[in-house]
Amino acid sequence: MRKTLLLNKDDVHENVQMPELISAIEDAFAAYESGDAQMPPKSYIDLPQYNGDFRSMPAYLDAGDWDAAGIKWVNVHPDNGDKYDLPTVMGTMIYSDPENAFPLALLDGTELTMLRTGAAAAVATDHLAVEDASSMGIVGAGVQSYTQLRAISEVRDIEEVVVSDLDEERVADFIDAFEDEFDIRAGSIEEAASCDVLSTVTPVESPIVPREAVGDHTHINAMGADAEGKHELADEVLLDAKLVIDDHAQTTHSGEINVPYHDGVLTDDDIYGAIGDIVLGNLDGRTDADGISVFDSTGLAIQDVAAAHVAYEHAFENDNGYAFDLLGLAE
């Protein structure tokens, strides 16, 4: 086939089933730590005149049974909603055949990002949360919160959910979406933080989760920080936790730990290790001696490529997407 497949949001959503995606993301973390992946640093184009930026995220990974390559082009333009009736964040993924570089697919990168971000949290939760975790707190009821619950409930038997957000309408929408599946209610940040698993998905720059609110054995997925200055968890939470990161360069630059790390409050000695090393068995995940654990997730290009692989592989069996002759090679 010499045509490129265009996969929109609905196609990606249909093709990417969460259990398979979690496995693919786990494979990606393992490939990265074992040296079977290439992931140049995320590059930025800053556009202060438009109060926005572009980011490019290329990667290649060899998971053993499969390999894949691609690049995501994504923006952050906070004024888009008010000025242009457009989303703040939009992403486009180019998925290529590593053997001959043919562009196999162009995919909606926004849906892809939401799905792979949830899956990454699920991988960390599977390795770091207590086995019998049954309650989950969510701070921030935006679009990312939905895939957090969807993914994490695949790896733990979640029964009770507490969601906290300053926007009551967002909380109500979130509850409406899940009330038939979970015992779900609105609550305070403190109530959410006391659950067995906590996911924070906010853009704040001043910590909102205090140390005293966190349960003795709570696992926290810190997902919100994606730029310098963002910081959701009190420094004491990070210092007291088994602290696991996705990538040292990205987390110290723009992850949850970026502020205390650059202030000298937190050092490399406070970082337990990378999630890939836990997946590979080089480091232990949750042990009986552990209290709080934190996964600092910045989102890696290898995750996008792994998710694109899953989306593309199921497009033909689901008979979706639009095939077109991008390069003019079709006979």
Side-chain angles (χ1 to χ4, degrees), residues 43-45 47 53-58 71-75 89-94 107 109-110 304:
S43 63
Y44 291 79
I45 295 176
L47 301 170
D53 64 65
F54 286 109
R55 306 160 190 201
S56 62
M57 301 173 65
I71 182 169
K72 185 172 73 176
W73 177 245
V74 62
N75 77 294
V89 178
M90 295 175 284
T92 302
M93 184 77 191
I94 303 173
L107 307 92
T110 308
D304 297 314

Side-chain angles (χ1 to χ4, degrees), residues 157-175:
D157 187 14
I158 300 299
E159 299 173 359
E160 178 188 359
V161 179
V162 180
V163 58
S164 180
D165 194 299
L166 294 175
D167 189 324
E168 294 182 1
E169 185 176 350
R170 281 185 173 185
V171 171
D173 289 343
F174 188 86
I175 292 173

Side-chain angles (χ1 to χ4, degrees), residues 26 29-30 33 123-124 126-128 219 242-245 272-286 290 293-295:
E26 189 167 50
F29 283 138
E33 290 303 325
V123 171
D126 198 24
H127 288 278
L128 292 167
H219 168 65
K242 173 181 273 190
L243 178 57
V244 177
I245 62 176
Y272 177 70
I275 186 64
D277 277 323
I278 294 177
V279 170
L280 287 170
N282 298 334
L283 293 173
D284 290 331
R286 166 70 59 171
D290 289 335
S293 56
V294 171
F295 175 50

Side-chain angles (χ1 to χ4, degrees), residues 11-306:
D11 299 329
V12 171
H13 187 82
E14 180 181 5
N15 296 348
V16 180
Q17 296 303 304
M18 192 56 75
E20 184 178 359
L21 179 59
I22 293 169
S23 178
I25 297 299
E26 189 167 50
D27 288 344
F29 283 138
Y32 184 50
E33 290 303 325
S34 62
D36 294 322
Q38 297 180 49
M39 189 178 69
K42 184 189 302 184
S43 63
Y44 291 79
I45 295 176
D46 193 29
L47 301 170
Q49 69 270 37
Y50 301 121
N51 188 28
D53 64 65
F54 286 109
R55 306 160 190 201
S56 62
M57 301 173 65
Y60 164 80
L61 68 96
D62 183 348
D65 294 336
W66 54 272
D67 67 344
I71 182 169
K72 185 172 73 176
W73 177 245
V74 62
N75 77 294
V76 178
H77 283 63
D79 299 334
N80 266 3
D82 292 336
K83 287 186 174 182
Y84 307 108
D85 194 27
L86 287 170
T88 295
V89 178
M90 295 175 284
T92 302
M93 184 77 191
I94 303 173
Y95 178 65
S96 301
D97 186 331
E99 185 175 1
N100 56 31
F102 186 80
L104 297 171
L106 298 176
L107 307 92
D108 169 44
T110 308
E111 180 72 11
L112 201 73
T113 300
M114 287 193 292
L115 292 167
R116 63 82 154 150
T117 302
V123 171
T125 301
D126 198 24
H127 288 278
L128 292 167
V130 294
E131 284 292 333
D132 60 350
S134 62
S135 61
M136 181 175 176
I138 299 174
V139 177
V143 292
Q144 289 283 2
S145 60
Y146 291 75
T147 53
Q148 289 293 305
L149 180 52
R150 285 282 180 220
I152 288 169
S153 62
E154 292 286 346
V155 299
R156 289 296 185 272
D157 187 14
I158 300 299
E159 299 173 359
E160 178 188 359
V161 179
V162 180
V163 58
S164 180
D165 194 299
L166 294 175
D167 189 324
E168 294 182 1
E169 185 176 350
R170 281 185 173 185
V171 171
D173 289 343
F174 188 86
I175 292 173
D176 286 345
F178 291 107
E179 61 184 354
D180 292 338
E181 302 172 62
F182 304 95
D183 177 9
I184 185 170
R185 63 182 175 86
S188 65
I189 290 175
E190 288 74 14
E191 289 173 296
S194 68
C195 293
D196 297 325
V197 179
L198 170 67
S199 284
T200 57
V201 280
T202 73
V204 298
E205 296 188 357
S206 296
I208 55 175
V209 179
R211 171 64 182 88
E212 60 271 17
V214 180
D216 292 340
H217 300 282
T218 297
H219 168 65
I220 304 172
N221 298 299
M223 313 301 290
D226 61 356
E228 291 180 85
K230 292 188 177 182
H231 190 19
E232 297 181 291
L233 310 178
D235 291 345
E236 294 78 11
V237 175
L238 298 171
L239 292 170
D240 286 352
K242 173 181 273 190
L243 178 57
V244 177
I245 62 176
D246 59 6
D247 176 70
H248 187 274
Q250 284 195 193
T251 53
T252 55
H253 176 268
S254 54
E256 176 57 34
I257 65 173
N258 84 91
V259 174
Y261 189 86
H262 287 287
D263 288 345
V265 173
L266 184 148
T267 69
D268 286 343
D269 290 339
D270 298 305
I271 300 172
Y272 177 70
I275 186 64
D277 277 323
I278 294 177
V279 170
L280 287 170
N282 298 334
L283 293 173
D284 290 331
R286 166 70 59 171
T287 68
D288 292 340
D290 289 335
I292 301 168
S293 56
V294 171
F295 175 50
D296 184 355
S297 173
T298 55
L300 306 180
I302 53 169
Q303 298 167 224
D304 297 314
V305 171

